[in-house]
Amino acid sequence: MKLVPKLRKEKKVINIHGEELVDDYAWIKQQDWQTVLKNPSKLNKEVLKYIEDENNYKSEQLKDLTDLKKKIFNELKGRIKDKDSSVPVKDGKFSYYNKYLEDAEYPQFLRINNLDNKEEIILDANQKSKDFKFFNLSSVSHSHDHKYLAYNVDINGSEHYDLTVEEILTQKIITKKIENTTGEIIWHPNNKIIFYTVLDTNHRPNKIFAHEIGSNPANDELIYEEKDAAYFCYPSLSQSRDYLLIRTGDHQTSEYWFSQINDYKNIQCFKKRTDREEYEIDHANDIFYILNNLDGCKNFKVSTAEPRNINDWKDYVKYNPNHLLLDFTVLKKWFILFQRVDGLNQILIKNLENSEEHLIKFDDETYELSLSGQYEFDTDLIRISYSSPITPGTVYDYNCREKKKILRKTQEIPSGYEKNNYICKRVLVDSHDKEQIPLTIFYHKNTPLNGEAPLLLYGYGSYGITIPDSFSSNRFSLIDRGFIYAIAHIRGGREKGQEWYENGKLMNKKNTFLDFISCAEYLCDNQYTSKGKIIAQGGSAGGLLMGYISNERPDLFLGIIAQVPFVDICNTMLDEDLPLTVTEIPEWGDLKNNKQAYQYIKSYSPYDNVKKQNYPNMLITGGITDPRVTYWEMTKWIAKLREYKTDKNLIMLDMNMDAGHSGASGRYDYLNEVALAYIFALKISNKTAS
């Protein structure tokens, strides 16, 4: 039996607001951390050995479940159609799509000629990835004349992408490796120029360049530079293809710059940034459409402006405080609005010829609905995707004129699936302040609701991100073994509108955690499960949630699955060299300059509130090249937990030494990470025999 790993202590003290912030493990963050994220072989050998010891300890603890892990992996894989393809998206004379071959980790990208049905492979990610342990394609973008293909690749998970341009017919490389880009690729309509964003030394997207394909990237022209480290910038092309648009912003403020595409160097500001004002723009049919929260419209409205007078905004979709407006698309004859009402997504179609409008409706109690990308402008068809926790993903083309859904694809579950075997419901839970929290619950119809079932409760609750009630075939490896699965739609997301987000951030952040605890208590009180039978799961900012509940309510939880957890919030938000710190001050607070914010955050920071007590069983994961939640956060946290915990419960670290924030890149490689989480859940629930 391997010894429990132990990390040596070396006290570091930060004096702030008249207090001491003590960190015994700060030394494991190297001064050249940027180099380490790009090249983990540069990691301090003592830290590397500790992480390897943790990985080996985890393997030792779970070695008796090797066969079960393989079984679950095969179950997960068996629910994925091995040879599969996406629904082609029409763009003029071609339709573009991707395809997975048998046992392939990565897709091929193809197009078919709409005239003669001739199919051709334009990029094979399996071939491109064969020399790398990690391979992530951020963008695959063809030129408007269908002659060239540009794509971005990250080969270690650090989210530094190299951009390449090839000629499609010959696969000849025209531009090789523009380094250190973010992933977005925008083609000029002249098909000779691409626009892209570059990361600074602290991994912040702050410069946009124009590159003439085939030329030396060293000569690329700087189009826009964002001087404020808190603002990230990205380019786009207007729907009309008449304008280059550049968005810059943080979590609560945005600003656009624009120029006529044939005069892209002459860029100007659309509306100067004002703190807490957000707007998004697009151009079509000689009109600018503007989604915005001006004039106190927290849940957003849509305005319009003419190019010759961009300061004169007129209401187009009037404000309704019960409708959260999320996004829009403008076609030649249609305005398509994506909104959320009563916690569920809706698509509103407006006829630009006669202003008539209608909703696309679905009947499930809870579901996920989204707009898929499309290329064509003069069309009556839009592509939508739909699913629910127990309804496999379905792709429709929707004819806006005929108000008719056209089924294009239903997700196949090769190993078999019967929807009628499962029950899904959405309930409202009273939180600590009587706010009602949406809670999605689903389970096998034969699972008794007598309080004996183990339950996995998932939560996130940050950045205004809504956790969708979508289908995931993976979950049935737990549900079919008697687990109940629940998703807590807690404050900090936008499930119930902008205020839902604002009431779970900054000095309201604890609402996120208390909402989750209220959901756990509801599940116990209503006999779905019992105290000590719940396994909580959350990742990244959801890992912050996991850290809080493990400190404050360990009695409720049998286990915690904390994936790439953001747990060292005080030290991270005081380190302005890290990629996200400055831009995330509007989300968490200004610890450095605001004593009240510092004291509030310190009161819930998981790393700073580890205490001598019993802790639930814990599986903590990380990625060695992760630039968002760096390897030292979860490494320090587990070392401190080991020091303070007073129980004999299982606590393990799984550090992926070949990946970053999103884990393994291949579609089957990723399933090993899912299987690991599930065998942990089954082990601590005494369900490994099933």
Side-chain angles (χ1 to χ4, degrees):
M1 177 66 70
K2 289 186 175 294
L3 294 175
V4 176
K6 189 172 183 179
L7 189 64
R8 71 172 173 87
K9 297 164 70 172
E10 184 178 305
K11 188 174 182 179
K12 176 185 175 182
V13 178
I14 296 176
N15 292 300
I16 179 169
H17 301 304
E19 297 182 15
E20 288 188 344
L21 185 66
V22 179
D23 188 353
D24 288 326
Y25 301 105
W27 65 271
I28 71 171
K29 176 198 165 195
Q30 295 176 213
Q31 286 190 342
D32 61 342
W33 58 267
Q34 296 100 327
T35 301
V36 173
L37 295 187
K38 289 183 179 181
N39 184 1
S41 67
K42 303 292 185 181
L43 187 64
N44 174 302
K45 286 184 169 48
E46 184 180 359
V47 178
L48 177 61
K49 182 180 184 304
Y50 174 75
I51 293 173
E52 289 175 341
D53 286 347
E54 285 284 7
N55 279 341
N56 290 334
Y57 176 77
K58 168 213 65 187
S59 298
E60 176 75 17
Q61 293 298 313
L62 299 176
K63 68 179 182 180
D64 59 326
L65 300 179
T66 301
D67 290 342
L68 179 61
K69 186 181 177 186
K70 289 179 181 177
K71 181 180 180 181
I72 290 178
F73 174 86
N74 288 329
E75 286 177 11
L76 300 171
K77 186 176 180 182
R79 298 191 192 103
I80 296 174
K81 189 177 180 183
D82 192 34
K83 297 170 70 173
D84 199 8
S85 61
S86 64
V87 180
V89 181
K90 187 173 180 293
D91 185 12
K93 66 179 181 178
F94 292 102
S95 291
Y96 290 82
Y97 58 105
N98 59 58
K99 178 189 292 185
Y100 281 96
L101 302 180
E102 186 175 0
D103 287 329
E105 291 284 355
Y106 303 100
Q108 292 179 331
F109 294 83
L110 305 96
R111 69 183 181 189
I112 190 167
N113 191 306
N114 295 322
L115 297 176
D116 59 14
N117 287 325
K118 181 181 178 182
E119 182 184 76
E120 59 183 314
I121 299 170
I122 59 176
L123 181 72
D124 189 336
N126 295 291
Q127 290 297 316
K128 298 287 186 185
S129 66
K130 61 184 180 181
D131 295 328
F132 307 106
K133 291 182 178 179
F134 182 95
F135 184 85
N136 183 30
L137 276 168
S138 176
S139 299
V140 177
S141 177
H142 63 272
S143 58
H144 305 286
D145 63 0
H146 309 282
K147 186 176 180 181
Y148 301 105
L149 190 74
Y151 56 92
N152 259 310
V153 176
D154 169 18
I155 57 172
N156 69 3
S158 64
E159 299 179 40
H160 290 84
Y161 293 88
D162 293 339
L163 192 160
T164 300
V165 182
E166 293 183 1
E167 188 175 45
I168 291 176
L169 288 179
T170 64
Q171 296 189 346
K172 176 184 176 183
I173 293 178
I174 307 299
T175 297
K176 183 177 182 180
K177 280 194 177 181
I178 301 175
E179 297 182 344
N180 206 35
T181 73
T182 59
E184 293 80 12
I185 300 168
I186 304 300
W187 280 96
H188 191 294
N190 69 12
N191 304 297
K192 298 176 182 177
I193 293 168
I194 55 175
F195 302 98
Y196 64 92
T197 310
V198 164
L199 298 163
D200 68 9
T201 54
N202 291 325
H203 204 279
R204 296 167 183 149
N206 71 328
K207 292 180 180 178
I208 294 172
F209 287 87
H211 169 75
E212 185 172 348
I213 61 172
S215 67
N216 185 347
N219 299 325
D220 289 354
E221 189 166 7
L222 179 64
I223 302 303
Y224 177 84
E225 180 176 6
E226 178 52 67
K227 304 285 190 180
D228 188 335
Y231 281 64
F232 293 176
C233 60
Y234 305 95
S236 62
L237 184 65
S238 71
Q239 182 73 288
S240 64
R241 299 185 182 177
D242 291 338
Y243 289 92
L244 173 68
L245 308 175
I246 292 175
R247 184 193 192 277
T248 184
D250 62 12
H251 288 293
Q252 64 182 17
T253 306
S254 63
E255 177 182 85
Y256 269 85
W257 291 69
F258 74 112
S259 63
Q260 291 189 340
I261 192 63
N262 290 324
D263 189 21
Y264 61 82
K265 300 174 189 177
N266 185 25
I267 195 162
Q268 59 182 304
C269 184
F270 192 85
K271 181 189 180 302
K272 290 185 69 172
R273 65 189 72 170
T274 300
D275 188 43
R276 297 179 181 271
E277 286 188 357
E278 295 181 76
Y279 70 96
E280 311 294 335
I281 68 173
D282 203 350
H283 177 270
N285 306 316
D286 203 30
I287 295 173
F288 280 108
Y289 292 84
I290 310 130
L291 177 71
N292 66 90
N293 68 349
L294 276 63
D295 306 316
C297 298
K298 279 193 172 186
N299 283 338
F300 294 84
K301 63 180 178 178
V302 179
S303 306
T304 57
E306 296 182 359
R308 63 179 176 272
N309 190 4
I310 60 171
N311 296 317
D312 183 17
W313 293 16
K314 294 181 171 62
D315 283 357
Y316 182 66
V317 178
K318 292 187 181 298
Y319 183 60
N320 184 334
N322 298 316
H323 292 189
L324 174 64
L325 307 190
L326 298 166
D327 198 3
F328 68 89
T329 297
V330 189
L331 302 178
K332 185 174 183 179
K333 301 168 188 171
W334 306 98
F335 178 84
I336 297 101
L337 181 66
F338 191 51
Q339 62 187 20
R340 185 171 299 126
V341 180
D342 295 328
L344 294 175
N345 292 346
Q346 296 180 347
I347 296 174
L348 178 72
I349 310 293
K350 190 166 186 173
N351 189 322
L352 294 175
E353 297 170 336
N354 58 23
S355 295
E356 290 182 356
E357 56 186 50
H358 67 275
L359 286 171
I360 304 176
K361 294 185 177 180
F362 292 88
D363 297 327
D364 281 325
E365 182 176 337
T366 184
Y367 58 81
E368 171 62 8
L369 178 66
S370 62
L371 283 166
S372 300
Q374 61 189 81
Y375 297 116
E376 296 196 320
F377 179 64
D378 187 4
T379 178
D380 293 332
L381 297 177
I382 60 172
R383 177 72 50 83
I384 59 178
S385 299
Y386 173 85
S387 74
S388 82
I390 60 173
T391 304
T394 309
V395 178
Y396 297 96
D397 279 342
Y398 182 80
N399 189 308
C400 297
R401 192 167 299 281
E402 297 178 5
K403 302 179 183 178
K404 180 180 177 182
K405 292 194 288 279
I406 305 160
L407 178 63
R408 297 301 306 272
K409 182 177 180 178
T410 299
Q411 180 182 351
E412 295 182 41
I413 312 296
S415 60
Y417 175 74
E418 177 51 61
K419 178 179 178 179
N420 292 332
N421 286 336
Y422 303 95
I423 295 170
C424 177
K425 59 180 70 172
R426 179 179 263 208
V427 300
L428 294 174
V429 175
D430 284 342
S431 191
H432 63 101
D433 56 0
K434 303 305 178 185
E435 187 65 74
Q436 290 197 306
I437 315 303
L439 176 64
T440 303
I441 311 167
F442 46 110
Y443 50 93
H444 196 283
K445 66 181 183 182
N446 293 333
T447 299
L449 302 184
N450 58 6
E452 294 301 313
L455 184 145
L456 191 144
L457 178 61
Y458 183 87
Y460 187 75
S462 292
Y463 304 115
I465 293 172
T466 295
I467 300 303
D469 278 338
S470 55
F471 185 83
S472 170
S473 64
N474 293 339
R475 298 166 180 159
F476 295 96
S477 284
L478 291 182
I479 293 172
D480 288 345
R481 288 177 168 84
F483 269 73
I484 294 173
Y485 198 105
I487 302 171
H489 302 283
I490 50 187
R491 279 173 282 187
R494 278 195 180 93
E495 281 85 343
K496 293 176 70 173
Q498 181 67 15
E499 287 194 8
W500 200 247
Y501 170 37
E502 293 177 0
N503 289 331
K505 65 184 287 194
L506 295 171
M507 302 300 285
N508 296 319
K509 189 62 207 172
K510 287 185 182 179
N511 284 334
T512 299
F513 316 137
L514 298 176
D515 287 354
F516 190 86
I517 290 169
S518 294
C519 289
E521 290 175 332
Y522 172 92
L523 292 163
C524 296
D525 293 343
N526 289 273
Q527 294 287 292
Y528 289 99
T529 189
S530 302
K531 284 187 179 182
K533 291 183 179 292
I534 303 174
I535 298 168
Q537 183 179 19
S540 196
L544 169 66
L545 168 64
M546 297 298 103
Y548 180 91
I549 63 171
S550 67
N551 283 334
E552 301 304 322
R553 287 302 305 273
D555 59 301
L556 271 175
F557 302 98
L558 171 65
I560 303 283
I561 301 172
Q563 297 162 302
V564 290
F566 177 38
V567 287
D568 188 18
I569 185 168
C570 287
N571 285 304
T572 294
M573 291 302 296
L574 288 170
D575 188 345
E576 295 179 355
D577 289 335
L578 292 173
L580 301 180
T581 294
V582 179
T583 198
E584 297 212 342
I585 288 173
E587 180 74 19
W588 309 107
D590 189 352
L591 286 75
K592 183 178 180 181
N593 299 305
N594 185 319
K595 182 176 181 179
Q596 185 182 14
Y598 166 76
Q599 291 177 332
Y600 182 71
I601 291 169
K602 189 181 179 186
S603 74
Y604 69 72
S605 169
Y607 182 64
D608 297 295
N609 288 281
V610 173
K611 61 194 76 170
K612 286 196 178 295
Q613 66 174 22
N614 289 353
Y615 277 87
N617 298 281
M618 300 176 77
L619 173 64
I620 301 165
T621 73
I624 198 69
T625 57
D626 186 351
R628 297 171 184 261
V629 182
T630 48
Y631 70 86
W632 55 84
E633 286 216 23
M634 64 287 300
T635 309
K636 289 165 52 176
W637 185 40
I638 197 169
K640 192 170 183 180
L641 284 166
R642 290 198 190 287
E643 177 188 357
Y644 281 86
K645 66 194 289 287
T646 55
D647 57 83
K648 294 184 179 179
N649 286 335
L650 189 60
I651 180 168
M652 301 179 295
L653 176 67
D654 177 59
M655 184 70 74
N656 191 323
M657 303 304 286
D658 299 309
H661 195 67
S662 300
S665 55
R667 65 167 173 162
Y668 292 143
D669 284 344
Y670 165 70
L671 297 180
N672 280 303
E673 298 178 356
V674 178
L676 174 66
Y678 285 3
I679 63 168
F680 168 76
L682 292 167
K683 178 182 178 69
I684 63 176
S685 302
N686 295 316
K687 287 277 189 178
T688 56
S690 55

